Amino acid sequence: MSEQTPVPDERPRPGSTGKSSVSGVAVPESLGPSAPPARTGSANLPDLPRARERGLGFRRMREADDLPFLFRLYASTREEELAPVPWSAEQKQAFLAQQFQAQHSHYMRYFPGSDWLIAEVSGGPVGRLYLDTRDSEIRIIDIALMPDQRGQGLGRAMLEDVLALAAAGGRSVSIHVEQFNPAMRLYLRLGFVTSGEAGVYQLMRWSPPRDPLSGPVIDTETGSPA
């Protein structure tokens, strides 16, 4: 699972040949903390019990320490997209480094005071969850897991926790999702609806029940609590 708030001009022009992988891409030496530095949200970490039950722990991002991991995570989310582009491994790495730095700087600059969370398993980083909590909305800026952690229900557990947080505060939840992302089906099942478009992304929005105490989030496909 990987959904990201869109950053302008971050897509390569696709080529017609080549299958070079970006897995295990080296961390460029040029990567460094962004300016301005990350500012965290509330003093306490958001409560994410469903994810915790599945073995995920969370801590706040330590920008200088976490940038190498965050770059590898970002690169993994672009691997399929870059596979057919006829660039050398070095060209792909340079492109990824540029785009990661642009995305990271964009996030830090335009979403100050957000919760920048690193997901961990057994003390090692495996993903990220970036949340911008506003008066009436929680914006999921970014949610992503490393490839070996996908397909295990961890992303869904994080989403369900965010919906529960939003419902408790009477807030909606919004997130940008690529139009042909297979995860779109999960968002629809959890009750998200399309409320706008931004290039290849659709802005998906979830609204809480009128009464936050009326019951759990319901999976619209199975009819069971999410």
Side-chain angles (χ1 to χ4, degrees), residues 156-174:
R156 176 173 179 142
M158 288 193 288
L159 284 172
E160 291 169 352
D161 281 333
V162 174
L163 297 187
L165 285 171
R171 295 180 173 92
S172 63
V173 177
S174 64

Side-chain angles (χ1 to χ4, degrees), residues 127-210:
R128 65 182 179 181
L129 177 63
Y130 295 168
L131 302 175
D132 181 28
T133 301
R134 309 173 184 181
D135 290 342
S136 61
E137 175 190 68
I138 296 178
R139 167 67 60 88
I140 302 177
I141 303 169
D142 201 302
I143 178 172
L145 290 163
M146 291 296 284
D148 61 349
Q149 300 296 323
R150 299 170 194 167
Q152 303 178 40
L154 301 179
R156 176 173 179 142
M158 288 193 288
L159 284 172
E160 291 169 352
D161 281 333
V162 174
L163 297 187
L165 285 171
R171 295 180 173 92
S172 63
V173 177
S174 64
I175 184 172
H176 282 95
V177 183
E178 287 186 297
Q179 295 179 19
F180 301 106
N181 190 324
M184 180 67 78
R185 184 168 177 265
L186 172 60
Y187 288 100
L188 294 173
R189 289 178 60 180
L190 291 178
F192 284 82
V193 297
T194 302
S195 65
E197 293 186 3
V200 299
Y201 293 90
Q202 289 188 343
L203 177 61
M204 306 297 293
R205 188 176 301 278
W206 176 90
S207 297
R210 292 183 179 180

Side-chain angles (χ1 to χ4, degrees), residues 41-126:
S42 60
N44 298 322
L45 290 175
D47 187 23
L48 304 169
R50 296 165 182 80
R52 189 169 60 248
E53 289 175 1
R54 288 183 171 271
L56 286 178
F58 294 88
R59 61 169 174 81
R60 297 203 181 279
M61 176 180 63
R62 299 187 290 266
E63 193 171 8
D65 296 334
D66 289 323
L67 280 180
F69 162 72
L70 291 170
F71 174 69
R72 290 192 295 271
L73 177 63
Y74 175 80
S76 76
T77 70
R78 305 294 297 271
E79 180 171 5
E80 183 176 351
E81 175 190 358
L82 286 178
V85 179
W87 293 347
S88 69
E90 291 76 16
Q91 288 174 313
K92 290 183 179 181
Q93 178 170 316
F95 172 80
L96 288 167
Q98 176 198 32
Q99 295 302 310
F100 169 73
Q101 193 74 67
Q103 182 196 68
H104 185 73
S105 296
H106 180 87
Y107 285 173
M108 297 302 106
R109 183 175 299 276
Y110 291 102
F111 297 95
S114 298
D115 287 304
W116 313 103
L117 305 181
I118 301 296
E120 296 183 316
V121 170
S122 301
V126 298

Side-chain angles (χ1 to χ4, degrees), residues 8-26:
D9 299 325
E10 69 165 7
R11 301 260 159 200
R13 294 182 179 179
S16 59
T17 61
K19 288 290 183 179
S20 297
S21 173
V22 297
S23 296
V25 64

